[in-house]
Amino acid sequence: MSGPAAPRLARDPLLAAAVSAADPAADDLSLAVRLLATTPTHEKRDPAELRQWALAADAFGAALDPGLPCRARIVERGDGLQQLLLARYTSRPATVELYTDTIDRAESLIDELGWRSWYPVGSVRAAALAHETAHALLHRKAMRTALKEALGHIALRLGRFRVLGHVAGAEEIAAHAYARTVCGLGRSPLLLTAALAAAVDTPGRQR
C-alpha cells in the first residue's frame, strides 16, 4: 500500500480491515451488511437479518445469467466526481451513463492502494457497465419478483397468504455481485466504491 492511501483508510476501520483481511469474501459480506445497515428503514433491524439479506442478494446477483442482453443506450460523461458517480442507469429512456472522470480516478486509486491484482486495468469501466446492466435487468418485474423471493422478507402475512416486502439496498448488493462475477474480479466493486468515497472530499474536491 502506498503512503498517501493510509490516512484515507484510517478514517474507516472497516475499510482498513478489508485491506488486510485473510478472508476477502467475509469482508465483502461485511461491507454489504454495512450498506444495508446504513440504508434508511434498516436502522433498527437485527444484524442477523441484515446478514441473511446480504447473503441472499449477493448470491442472487452472482447467479444472474451473464448472457442476458442489456438494451440500454450507453452514454459517456465527464462530470461524475462532482456527484461521486461511477455510472447510473435510468429507465426512461433506458440509458447507462458512464462517468469517465470517476472511472479514471478509480483506476488511479487502485494503483495507489495496491489493489491491481483484484481489479485489473480497465476493469472499472467494465464493472461499472456490468453493475448498471444488472440494474437494467432488475428493472424487469419478473426479476424484481425473483429477488424478493430470494430475500424472503415477509411484509404482511394473512393466514396462508403472504406479501413479500422490498428490501432497500438489496438490489445494489445484487448488482455489485453480478459485476464481480461477470468481470472476474478478486473483490467486490463495493469495496472499491467505498474506498473511492473515502478518497474524494466534498463535491468537486479530491483529497
Side-chain angles (χ1 to χ4, degrees), residues 97-116:
E97 297 174 329
L98 297 176
Y99 293 87
T100 56
D101 57 336
T102 314
I103 289 172
D104 290 344
R105 179 67 187 101
E107 286 283 357
S108 63
L109 182 62
I110 289 168
D111 288 327
E112 291 174 25
L113 297 173
W115 289 357
R116 192 51 76 185

Side-chain angles (χ1 to χ4, degrees), residues 143-159:
M143 284 290 188
R144 292 198 306 270
T145 300
L147 177 57
K148 284 184 177 181
E149 288 284 354
L151 294 166
H153 172 42
I154 300 175
L156 178 65
R157 188 189 294 274
L158 295 172

Side-chain angles (χ1 to χ4, degrees), residues 2-3 41 46 52 91 142 171 203:
S2 67
T41 73
D46 183 343
Q52 178 182 344
S91 60
E171 182 177 314

Side-chain angles (χ1 to χ4, degrees), residues 47-126:
E49 185 174 38
L50 295 178
R51 182 180 176 86
Q52 178 182 344
W53 286 344
L55 277 168
D58 185 273
F60 183 89
L64 281 176
D65 183 355
L68 291 173
C70 175
R71 299 182 177 88
R73 181 173 60 108
I74 299 173
V75 176
E76 292 191 350
R77 299 179 52 170
D79 55 346
L81 279 174
Q82 297 174 4
Q83 309 170 72
L84 198 60
L85 286 173
L86 273 167
R88 177 170 59 186
Y89 170 73
T90 54
S91 60
R92 296 183 180 180
T95 304
V96 171
E97 297 174 329
L98 297 176
Y99 293 87
T100 56
D101 57 336
T102 314
I103 289 172
D104 290 344
R105 179 67 187 101
E107 286 283 357
S108 63
L109 182 62
I110 289 168
D111 288 327
E112 291 174 25
L113 297 173
W115 289 357
R116 192 51 76 185
S117 62
W118 291 337
Y119 306 104
V121 173
S123 63
V124 176
R125 187 185 190 281

